[in-house]
Amino acid sequence: MISSSIGGYLAGRLRSRWIGVHADEVYFRDTAHGFLAWAFATVLGAVLLASPATTVLSGATSGVSAGATASAAQAGPVEGFIDALLRPSTPSGDGNSADARGELSRIMASSLRAGELKPADRAYVNKVVAARTGLSEPDADKRVTEVTNDAKAAADNARKAAMQLAFWLTASLLIGAFSASLAATEGGGLRDGTWKARRTR
């Protein structure tokens, strides 16, 4: 709000004086100057903030191995159905393999989108957890329930945080636009010497 006000004030104060223009038109032009100063600063700030993020993401992506990149590119909505087709009836205890962890990751991701694990997926996950950890089926089911509930809670918290961030970002942008426009009218009034007259009306 402060930076938008300063930018708007400078936009109004540094403009050239308009001769023979109606006071209402001057007021409108000053408001437009402040709004345009705010819009330019907002776009410029977004570009400057996006540049480091793009650089970081491109650097991180370039460091990923070719095999991991290829497997990530292959992962898609069809992969979950392929997993269901090729699912063994008795999973092995090698839960650290990339295939097993990738399959469980896809199952958990789809369950978070759907809201609940499908019965067939839940039974399979219970078997994998039991085979990997040596737990009994009921204990494995209990662990799957706890982890699934924790994952849902984390996803809900992330969604709420994103909603709050979007709300406050929108509110701050609107307040910044209003502050810049108002400050530009004040700066223009001071520039023209009409600020006191406008205040006394």
Side-chain angles (χ1 to χ4, degrees):
M1 185 177 72
I2 293 173
S3 62
S4 297
S5 298
I6 293 172
Y9 175 79
L10 291 176
R13 187 68 187 266
L14 297 177
R15 68 161 173 80
S16 59
R17 186 171 185 175
W18 295 304
I19 306 298
V21 180
H22 193 272
D24 292 337
E25 179 65 19
V26 171
Y27 189 81
F28 173 78
R29 290 183 184 184
D30 284 337
T31 304
H33 273 77
F35 182 80
L36 290 175
W38 165 84
F40 177 75
T42 301
V43 171
L44 184 63
V47 169
L48 291 176
L49 287 176
S51 297
T54 305
T55 304
V56 169
L57 288 177
S58 63
T61 305
S62 64
V64 177
S65 64
T69 304
S71 65
Q74 291 175 356
V78 179
E79 289 298 311
F81 298 110
I82 301 300
D83 291 339
L85 283 174
L86 301 178
R87 184 174 293 164
S89 58
T90 55
S92 66
D94 187 14
N96 281 327
S97 67
D99 291 339
R101 296 180 74 86
E103 184 180 11
L104 289 181
S105 297
R106 289 188 290 272
I107 291 172
M108 292 298 290
S110 65
S111 73
L112 289 177
R113 283 193 299 269
E116 193 63 47
L117 275 171
K118 296 177 183 176
D121 288 340
R122 186 177 186 88
Y124 178 71
V125 170
N126 289 345
K127 288 180 182 179
V128 171
V129 172
R132 174 67 183 94
T133 60
L135 294 171
S136 63
E137 287 276 346
D139 290 339
D141 182 66
K142 182 179 178 183
R143 179 177 290 186
V144 169
T145 301
E146 291 174 355
V147 171
T148 304
N149 291 338
D150 290 344
K152 284 182 188 176
D156 288 340
N157 291 335
R159 277 192 287 268
K160 290 176 183 176
M163 288 173 54
Q164 290 178 354
L165 177 64
F167 172 78
W168 287 112
L169 183 61
T170 303
S172 66
L173 287 174
L174 291 175
I175 291 171
F178 176 77
S179 300
S181 300
L182 182 63
T185 61
E186 302 298 324
L190 285 171
R191 167 69 178 77
D192 294 341
T194 60
W195 185 74
K196 290 183 179 180
R198 187 183 300 167
R199 282 292 183 183
T200 56
R201 276 194 292 181

